Amino acid sequence: MTHPHTFASLQTRYGPRYRWLLLLTVMIGTMASIMSSTIINVAVPDMTRFFAIGQDRMQWVSSGFMLAMTVSMLTTPWLLARYGYRRTYSVAIWLLLAGGVGGGLTSNFDLVLLARVAQGLASGVLQPVPAIIILRVFGPSEQGRASGIFGMGVVLAPALGPSIGGLLVDWFSWRATLFMVVPFCLASLWLARRYVPSANPVAEPSKPGQAALDWFGLLLATIATLCLLNGMVTLHSGALVHALGMLAASGVALLGFVQWQRRLSHAQRGSHERAPLMNLSLFGHRQFAMGSIVSLIYGTALFGSTYLLPVYLQMGLGLSASQVGAMLLPAGLVLAITIAIAGRLADRQPAHLLVSVGLLLLALGFALMVTVGRQTSIWLIMVWAMVGRVGLGFILPSLNLSAMRCLPQHLIPQGSSVISFLRMVGGAVGVSLCALFLEWRLAVHGQSLAHLDTNPLRLRAFNESFVMLASLSVLAIVAAWRLREK
């Protein structure tokens, strides 16, 4: 008798539309995880006043989430293989929901921080899943369209989340931002019971689920990521020796992680005792290796610009927070529309070409910000911001597809988690890199963000920071061009 929740039985029950219902399910869950990571930023001032704490402790509400999410991404392949899609996905959604409700109800900062770490762990497990679903369930002629539709839904969460979150904080309090995930989680749990298969959509040639989780590798990855993030943050305080020590420790942990994964990869051949957390054979595929480089640089530029642009508009051009929110919202909507269009193009055009065009437009968007001055029309600034978002729209649907289409079926889950992991590491580095670079250029020009006045020298420091991001985007084009299939 066929199990009622296998992929084959669900596909028979719901017919050709089943794969789209499955995509909708994981899209809503991913939207909840992304919203939980971005919406909290608008509540930081209110939380700081409520808990009467400094910025050094408050930053861990975001940093703790980012660290937990980044590291837990590496466990997704093992969890899917060991416990199946339905159980892994549902438990992650329940954890995300518990973190939102628990954090919103408590008045203890340490418990709020614990709730944010729990949400980060859940988000890290969830975010690689959609790419795995798209590559395994959809045919090659539909993968681009599916990625575009999924991306369009997902980018609306960070585009609309902060605007809605700002209203919720003004009307209620910071607690409302944590409760925002509740309706998304409940809807996703209901859909998961109906549409997420209990087992993997594609049978594995081996049974990695029988292997034990690589806890030592996970520990090394956590140490490397934690020391990297702490080292970058410590550089801001001027404690150079401490920061360099943390970065050196990160490098040592990273080398240890690579050596340990190589050892497990050799020892696992013919054995299922322990699977490597990151199968290094992934990087033997040229397209995947180049996609990893693009993902790392792309994450750096994307998250770095997410930090730099609002600071530039407020501290460089003297605009208010409400003006900045209103200006960036249309760019987010343009991004959502572009992703849907680029997804359809990805089914017909070479992926490396779309990624390269996207990176070029992203670099152009950064470069155009150099032409902005105090007298520049707000409408023109909005158009320049849209140029970069159009570039992002071309990149998002194509990057994962072009990097992972070359992989064997059994390596796709690990490939998705590694690409997501590198993008988030690049993002964490990008925020600190932009902040450090901006502080350096401000100091060179004798400026400081501590003063509210704006002047040409301050704008020059911001312009040089945008040029740095544009240069990184151009550098990524070199790797993107090598994504082309032989």
Side-chain angles (χ1 to χ4, degrees):
M1 181 178 178
T2 305
H3 194 280
H5 299 305
T6 62
F7 176 77
S9 62
L10 290 171
Q11 193 172 38
T12 301
R13 184 187 310 171
Y14 296 105
R17 65 192 177 104
Y18 169 65
R19 59 188 185 278
W20 297 104
L21 294 170
L22 177 58
L23 181 65
L24 173 66
T25 303
V26 297
M27 182 177 76
I28 293 176
T30 308
M31 287 177 68
S33 70
I34 293 176
M35 184 171 289
S36 68
S37 69
T38 58
I39 198 172
I40 197 71
N41 295 332
V42 299
V44 167
D46 194 46
M47 294 178 71
T48 303
R49 289 189 295 268
F50 181 87
F51 292 108
I53 57 176
Q55 187 62 31
D56 55 336
R57 288 194 69 196
M58 194 64 221
Q59 71 168 351
W60 280 104
V61 171
S62 295
S63 298
F65 182 99
M66 291 286 289
L67 175 65
M69 178 174 65
T70 303
V71 174
S72 65
M73 284 178 178
L74 295 176
T75 66
T76 301
W78 182 84
L79 290 170
L80 292 176
R82 182 66 178 266
Y83 298 108
Y85 277 52
R86 171 175 291 198
R87 188 182 300 177
T88 299
Y89 182 83
S90 298
V91 169
I93 293 292
W94 275 113
L95 185 59
L96 187 65
L97 177 62
V101 174
L105 292 176
T106 186
S107 295
N108 182 290
F109 178 75
D110 291 333
L111 292 180
V112 172
L113 184 57
L114 180 63
R116 291 291 293 163
V117 170
Q119 286 189 309
L121 291 172
S123 297
V125 172
L126 290 170
Q127 291 199 22
V129 172
I132 301 171
I133 293 292
I134 289 170
L135 284 166
R136 285 188 157 178
V137 173
F138 290 87
S141 62
E142 289 185 320
Q143 289 172 355
R145 180 186 173 198
S147 296
I149 293 174
F150 168 78
M152 181 178 66
V154 167
V155 299
L156 286 175
L160 300 178
S163 301
I164 299 173
L167 294 175
L168 291 174
V169 172
D170 290 339
W171 293 343
F172 304 103
S173 72
W174 59 269
R175 300 179 189 276
T177 60
L178 289 168
F179 291 139
M180 268 289 290
V181 301
V182 172
F184 291 91
C185 289
L186 293 177
S188 191
L189 285 170
W190 182 80
L191 290 169
R193 288 181 60 86
R194 295 171 62 89
Y195 303 124
V196 175
S198 56
N200 301 338
V202 177
E204 304 286 359
S206 59
K207 296 181 180 179
Q210 295 178 353
L213 180 63
D214 178 17
W215 288 104
F216 185 62
L218 187 62
L219 175 64
L220 289 174
T222 303
I223 293 173
T225 307
L226 179 61
C227 289
L228 175 63
L229 297 181
N230 266 332
M232 297 295 289
V233 170
T234 306
L235 283 174
H236 290 273
S237 65
L240 184 61
V241 175
H242 184 202
L244 291 178
M246 297 293 289
L247 293 175
S250 175
V252 171
L254 176 61
L255 288 175
F257 175 78
V258 172
Q259 290 298 324
W260 178 249
Q261 298 308 294
R262 181 177 293 145
R263 177 181 174 183
L264 286 185
S265 296
H266 288 298
Q268 197 205 14
R269 293 173 184 173
S271 170
H272 296 299
E273 292 183 2
R274 185 181 298 169
L277 200 63
M278 183 185 295
N279 194 323
L280 298 182
S281 66
L282 288 166
F283 299 98
H285 300 270
R286 175 181 57 81
Q287 286 174 251
F288 183 84
M290 294 299 105
S292 299
I293 295 173
V294 174
S295 187
L296 182 67
I297 299 177
Y298 162 75
T300 303
L302 171 61
F303 285 84
S305 66
T306 303
Y307 160 81
L308 184 63
L309 191 54
V311 173
Y312 169 65
L313 294 174
Q314 293 183 73
M315 307 299 289
L317 300 182
L319 301 177
S320 67
S322 58
Q323 285 178 311
V324 172
M327 289 175 60
L328 296 181
L329 182 57
L333 298 177
V334 167
L335 172 59
I337 296 171
T338 305
I339 286 179
I341 296 172
R344 288 184 174 274
L345 290 175
D347 290 327
R348 300 191 295 270
Q349 302 296 328
H352 75 280
L353 184 61
L354 296 177
V355 174
S356 299
V357 169
L359 288 168
L360 188 60
L361 288 173
L362 184 61
L364 179 61
F366 292 140
L368 288 172
M369 298 305 296
V370 177
T371 67
V372 173
R374 292 295 307 277
Q375 306 304 318
T376 304
S377 166
I378 287 180
W379 296 104
L380 185 61
I381 300 174
M382 290 172 62
V383 172
W384 288 172
M386 290 179 188
V387 171
R389 291 304 181 260
V390 170
L392 290 175
F394 273 91
I395 297 168
L396 286 171
S398 305
L399 180 55
N400 280 354
L401 295 180
S402 57
M404 293 194 293
R405 273 176 173 163
C406 63
L407 298 179
Q409 284 287 341
H410 70 282
L411 286 181
I412 284 177
Q414 281 218 349
S416 180
S417 69
V418 170
I419 287 284
S420 300
F421 173 78
L422 291 174
R423 184 174 63 249
M424 293 309 302
V425 169
V429 171
V431 172
S432 294
L433 177 64
C434 279
L436 286 170
F437 190 89
L438 177 61
E439 287 178 5
W440 170 46
R441 299 316 301 166
L442 286 168
V444 167
H445 296 299
Q447 299 294 306
S448 171
L449 292 181
H451 304 97
L452 297 180
D453 62 310
T454 62
N455 57 66
L457 289 178
R458 175 178 288 194
L459 289 179
R460 185 179 299 176
F462 277 104
N463 290 341
E464 289 165 353
S465 300
F466 282 118
V467 170
M468 182 269 293
L469 287 175
S471 301
L472 281 177
S473 302
V474 171
L475 180 64
I477 295 176
V478 178
W481 198 251
R482 291 183 59 81
L483 284 169
R484 63 186 185 276
E485 299 178 11
K486 293 182 179 180

